[in-house]
Amino acid sequence: MLGNYRIRTDLALEETERFSEENVEIRGVEVSESYDEEKDVRTTVVKITTENGAHAMGRPQGSYITIEAPNLSLPDEDYHREISKEIARHLAQLIDLDKEQSVLVVGLGNSAITADSLGPHVVENLRMTRHVIREYGLKSMGEEKMHQTSGIIPGVMAQTGMETSEIVQGVVEETKPDVVIAVDALAARSTRRLNRTIQITDTGINPGSGVGNHRNGLTEDNLHVKVIGIGVPTVVDAATIVHDSMAHLLDALDEREQKEFLEEMISPHLHSMFVTPKDVDETVKYLSFTISEGLNMAFLGEEARV
């Protein structure tokens, strides 16, 4: 309906939904879904297996795990702990935790902007072990085997004058981790997924892509180590809200008339505006703790093996 304009989303799941709405089947894209009725958690795994699938989806080949949890934005500690366990379980599927790993967690985003502060808050909540293990050994931790965790909050270019990828590449080269986990705020197509959805992918992450601010990606090709991306959509394109609000009023018009009407109503400046829920400050605190606990479980506890 919006002509050549493509509503932005970082969620692979929402791309597959767009094709479903258009009754288009994509070769090289596999989608599987499961639902836990007791926890009210829906998990969708999108696997892009071919170049054709990657081209159609506009994303690199790999696995995209989406956890949809309607109560994720509520301050329910028991519910959040269940989601943390889910995060740890999926990380255990993507990373060989039977082998000791050195893990670098990168908190992407601007801590001064609430909707973009998820990554920095996750790193602030993590339990770091690399420095203790290197200094005193595993016995100081009372463990025979433990993964080394370290973290960095690289900031954004406006704060540092450097590309995030330049900073992370330097840290990776110096500390030589086995795995990099990049955590970032994302953009969604649907308002109902804001602060209620977590995406985990083994393809890395592109900082700022959700808001059209394309930076060099943190990927295995760039960093030469395995990169896992974890993100939560905290913003939605303003044009999406206008489109969705008016779409049901346009059923009487044919496709051409709908397109003309929406192009006239949705002014260009809306395409550079993004909206976030009013309680995003509290919600980001809950979400960052939930993700950091999932990481702590995966790398410091046995619950990751559930």
Side-chain angles (χ1 to χ4, degrees):
M1 278 189 192
L2 290 175
N4 294 326
Y5 175 70
R6 185 174 181 178
I7 293 172
R8 300 186 184 105
T9 177
D10 288 317
L11 300 178
L13 170 61
E14 292 188 329
E15 282 294 331
T16 63
E17 290 176 341
R18 182 173 65 86
F19 286 107
S20 296
E21 290 170 0
E22 298 171 0
N23 294 317
V24 175
E25 184 177 344
I26 317 168
R27 292 193 305 275
V29 177
E30 302 172 3
V31 181
S32 60
E33 182 182 292
S34 62
Y35 177 65
D36 188 321
E37 187 173 355
E38 182 180 349
K39 298 177 184 176
D40 192 17
V41 174
R42 186 178 305 278
T43 303
T44 306
V45 179
V46 177
K47 291 186 177 181
I48 303 177
T49 59
T50 67
E51 287 292 339
N52 175 74
H55 178 74
M57 292 283 289
R59 285 167 169 74
Q61 293 183 50
S63 297
Y64 300 80
I65 303 164
T66 306
I67 303 170
E68 296 180 87
N71 295 326
L72 198 54
S73 60
L74 302 178
D76 184 334
E77 291 186 9
D78 291 336
Y79 187 82
H80 279 256
R81 184 165 182 79
E82 291 301 320
I83 303 303
S84 294
K85 291 179 181 179
E86 283 293 302
I87 294 171
R89 184 172 67 84
H90 288 297
L91 287 173
Q93 294 172 350
L94 298 176
I95 303 170
D96 181 9
L97 296 181
D98 291 326
K99 172 186 174 184
E100 286 188 9
Q101 302 281 357
S102 175
V103 183
L104 171 65
V105 181
V106 181
L108 299 170
N110 187 341
S111 57
I113 299 175
T114 305
D116 196 32
S117 63
L118 178 73
H121 285 321
V122 167
V123 171
E124 290 168 357
N125 292 328
L126 278 176
R127 182 183 173 195
M128 305 302 181
T129 61
R130 180 179 181 272
H131 60 302
V132 179
I133 293 173
R134 287 170 60 86
E135 184 72 20
Y136 303 107
L138 280 174
K139 290 185 178 180
S140 66
M141 307 290 291
E143 300 286 346
E144 294 185 2
K145 187 187 81 170
M146 180 175 286
H147 307 295
Q148 296 184 29
T149 55
S150 58
I152 183 174
I153 302 171
V156 294
M157 185 180 286
Q159 297 170 321
T160 65
M162 293 178 283
E163 286 274 5
T164 299
S165 60
E166 293 176 326
I167 298 172
V168 177
Q169 282 172 354
V171 174
V172 167
E173 185 176 341
E174 182 67 26
T175 64
K176 297 178 173 53
D178 301 307
V179 182
V180 171
I181 296 181
V183 185
D184 199 7
L186 307 178
R189 164 68 178 82
S190 170
T191 55
R192 67 182 174 84
R193 288 198 170 100
L194 290 181
N195 300 326
R196 297 178 177 87
T197 305
I198 299 172
Q199 178 175 267
I200 305 172
T201 176
D202 61 3
T203 64
I205 209 161
N206 288 286
S209 62
V211 293
N213 186 18
H214 296 282
R215 307 256 63 95
N216 292 336
L218 302 182
T219 65
E220 187 168 353
D221 287 341
N222 292 346
L223 300 181
H224 308 296
V225 296
K226 187 180 186 69
V227 183
I228 305 295
I230 301 177
V232 174
T234 60
V235 297
V236 65
D237 192 330
T240 298
I241 297 176
V242 176
H243 174 274
D244 291 350
S245 299
M246 302 187 68
H248 71 283
L249 301 175
L250 305 180
D251 291 340
L253 304 179
D254 62 32
E255 187 173 345
R256 180 186 60 79
E257 291 172 326
Q258 289 179 3
K259 176 183 174 183
E260 291 176 354
F261 182 81
L262 286 169
E263 285 180 343
E264 183 177 340
M265 290 298 297
I266 300 178
S267 57
H269 78 274
L270 284 178
H271 298 326
S272 61
M273 293 181 64
F274 293 84
V275 180
T276 192
K278 64 180 181 180
D279 60 348
V280 66
D281 51 349
E282 287 298 316
T283 306
V284 165
K285 289 180 183 178
Y286 304 144
L287 292 170
S288 62
F289 186 75
T290 301
I291 293 173
S292 63
E293 279 300 286
L295 294 171
N296 286 334
M297 287 179 184
F299 302 122
L300 303 176
E302 290 302 312
E303 289 176 279
R305 309 302 173 86
V306 175

